[in-house]
Amino acid sequence: MSYLLKSLEAGPLTLKNRLVMPPMATAKAEADGTINQSILDYYLEKSSGGYISLIIVEHSFISLEGKASEYQVSIADDEKLEGLKQLANTIKNNGSKAVMQINHAGSAASDEVIGTKPVGPSAVKKPRKGNLPKELTEKEIQGIIEAFKNAARRTKETNFDGVEIHSAHGYLLNQFYSPITNKRTDKYGGDIHNRIRIHLEIIEAVKKEVGDDFPILLRLGASDYMDGGTTLEDSKIAAREFEKVGVDILDISGGHCGYVVPGLEGQGFFAPLTESLKEVVSIPVILTGGITEPKAAEKLINEEKADLIGIGRAILEDSKWAKKATESLS
């Protein structure tokens, strides 16, 4: 049998194969972040037939100050619950598991979108593209932890199968994680253990809120690929700590300025990260990055580079990709 088509147990989550559709922003929501028919139609098409075992819905903002862009999905208030429930059920009724990714943009937000000055771990601009943020106080950090907790509660209340905490691609938690953007001298800055303190406090708060039977995923920018940035060695330490506090699946990416990293190409270009991280944790690891060929995905699983394979652009361009891949490997 195909390695890619084997089932997998991930904590309380049972997946029928190793195919994952990673979160990809659609910019289809209403201006206030409400789910509309356009988004429902999009996910209905992508999940058709249930060939993808796990669909991670695009990042949703946990509070207005954390909104990354116009027409981004909101999970910031209880008024959005009905639309989110429709979205979860649309995916699940097609036979795929549905996970919601929750996020705070930090300094990647713009004052035009959020109506106020963006915030960050330090008053430091993100490389290449970013606004000069206001440095968060410890009290404000506690408010962000609370907002993540409440967003996770809404995810569970709206019938999703799990929640993914976003710490990649230069958003707020990635900003805390990276020494490039985290210059704090308090307990949230300095060495890797302090830089992941906010992550651990969020995971613990979410776990307490949703219980042990609701899966928690974490998307980690495991290397900044920049001088002075986060390294794979940092991420080995972080991955072990995340597993200890209750993360069920690690979803690995890289690049402090987004998921496209100059010089990285080929099928599964983050494989060196996932392969190394698999050696230090026992929870499943998702590999995404340039994978377009079913045989390449099969090979990556067979060679234990990862446990799950995220197919992004190929599914974006062809909604029947997973169906064709399943049939070709069966």
Side-chain angles (χ1 to χ4, degrees):
M1 183 184 179
S2 161
Y3 295 99
L4 196 63
L5 301 183
K6 284 184 176 179
S7 62
L8 178 73
E9 299 286 331
L13 192 63
T14 300
L15 300 175
K16 62 187 174 187
N17 63 39
R18 308 302 178 96
L19 284 173
V20 178
M21 178 174 144
M24 295 177 284
T26 62
K28 291 178 182 290
E30 297 297 321
D32 67 349
T34 301
I35 297 293
N36 55 24
Q37 194 60 46
S38 178
I39 288 184
L40 295 177
D41 290 345
Y42 171 84
Y43 283 98
L44 180 68
E45 179 181 312
K46 296 303 179 190
S47 61
S48 179
Y51 293 98
I52 305 166
S53 67
L54 174 61
I55 291 180
I56 306 175
V57 172
E58 62 200 86
H59 70 160
S60 52
F61 63 90
I62 61 168
S63 63
L64 185 56
E65 72 167 14
K67 186 176 182 180
S69 58
E70 287 187 284
Y71 311 115
Q72 183 187 6
V73 173
S74 171
I75 196 157
D77 61 75
D78 290 346
E79 292 175 8
K80 306 296 188 292
L81 295 185
E82 187 52 43
L84 292 165
K85 189 177 292 183
Q86 283 182 275
L87 176 56
N89 290 339
T90 294
I91 295 168
K92 293 173 71 167
N93 289 343
N94 266 344
S96 298
K97 300 288 186 180
V99 163
M100 173 62 84
Q101 187 186 71
I102 59 177
N103 190 29
H104 190 299
S107 67
S110 67
D111 52 9
E112 292 86 8
V113 171
I114 66 176
T116 186
K117 189 178 178 71
V119 298
S122 304
V124 176
K125 280 189 178 183
K126 232 165 52 82
R128 298 186 198 145
K129 182 183 177 184
N131 302 290
L132 184 66
K134 170 187 169 294
E135 181 172 312
L136 288 159
T137 65
E138 288 195 25
K139 183 177 180 183
E140 288 168 333
I141 288 171
Q142 293 308 308
I144 286 170
I145 293 167
E146 185 77 6
F148 269 102
K149 182 193 82 171
N150 287 330
R153 169 184 57 78
R154 294 183 190 107
T155 302
K156 185 174 184 180
E157 286 178 355
T158 50
N159 203 30
F160 280 88
D161 295 298
V163 64
E164 179 170 272
I165 298 163
H166 198 356
S167 179
H169 308 156
Y171 293 117
L172 181 69
L173 295 187
N174 194 192
Q175 292 160 26
F176 270 93
Y177 190 59
S178 174
I180 292 172
T181 41
N182 186 347
K183 306 296 185 184
R184 299 179 73 95
T185 56
D186 63 2
K187 66 182 182 179
Y188 292 104
D191 68 18
I192 183 61
H193 294 281
N194 281 350
R195 300 200 312 273
I196 63 170
R197 189 182 300 275
I198 187 172
H199 301 71
L200 299 178
E201 291 179 356
I202 287 169
I203 296 161
E204 288 169 346
V206 166
K207 196 80 171 174
K208 189 173 180 183
E209 184 72 15
V210 300
D212 292 334
D213 62 342
F214 194 69
I216 299 173
L217 292 74
L218 186 136
R219 188 160 220 197
L220 181 65
S223 174
D224 285 342
Y225 296 103
M226 298 176 73
D227 289 342
T230 304
T231 65
L232 177 57
E233 293 309 308
D234 290 330
S235 293
K236 287 180 179 179
I237 294 168
R240 285 192 289 259
E241 295 304 313
F242 296 154
E243 180 178 21
K244 281 181 195 172
V245 293
V247 168
D248 295 292
I249 298 176
L250 275 176
D251 182 3
I252 300 303
S253 189
H256 194 52
C257 299
Y259 55 85
V260 177
V261 181
L264 285 187
E265 55 187 27
Q267 300 279 323
F269 50 73
F270 290 129
L273 300 179
T274 55
E275 183 177 28
S276 294
L277 293 173
K278 266 180 63 61
E279 293 172 359
V280 299
V281 295
S282 60
I283 55 176
V285 175
I286 304 174
L287 167 62
T288 302
I291 304 164
T292 59
E293 300 292 334
K295 286 183 179 178
E298 175 81 359
K299 187 169 184 280
L300 289 162
I301 291 289
N302 183 27
E303 294 178 351
E304 299 187 350
K305 305 292 187 187
D307 303 288
L308 294 154
I309 299 293
I311 309 292
R313 290 176 183 237
I315 289 174
L316 192 61
E317 292 170 5
D318 180 5
S319 296
K320 290 185 165 52
W321 187 95
K323 179 179 187 292
K324 295 171 185 174
T326 300
E327 290 170 349
S328 72
L329 294 169
S330 297

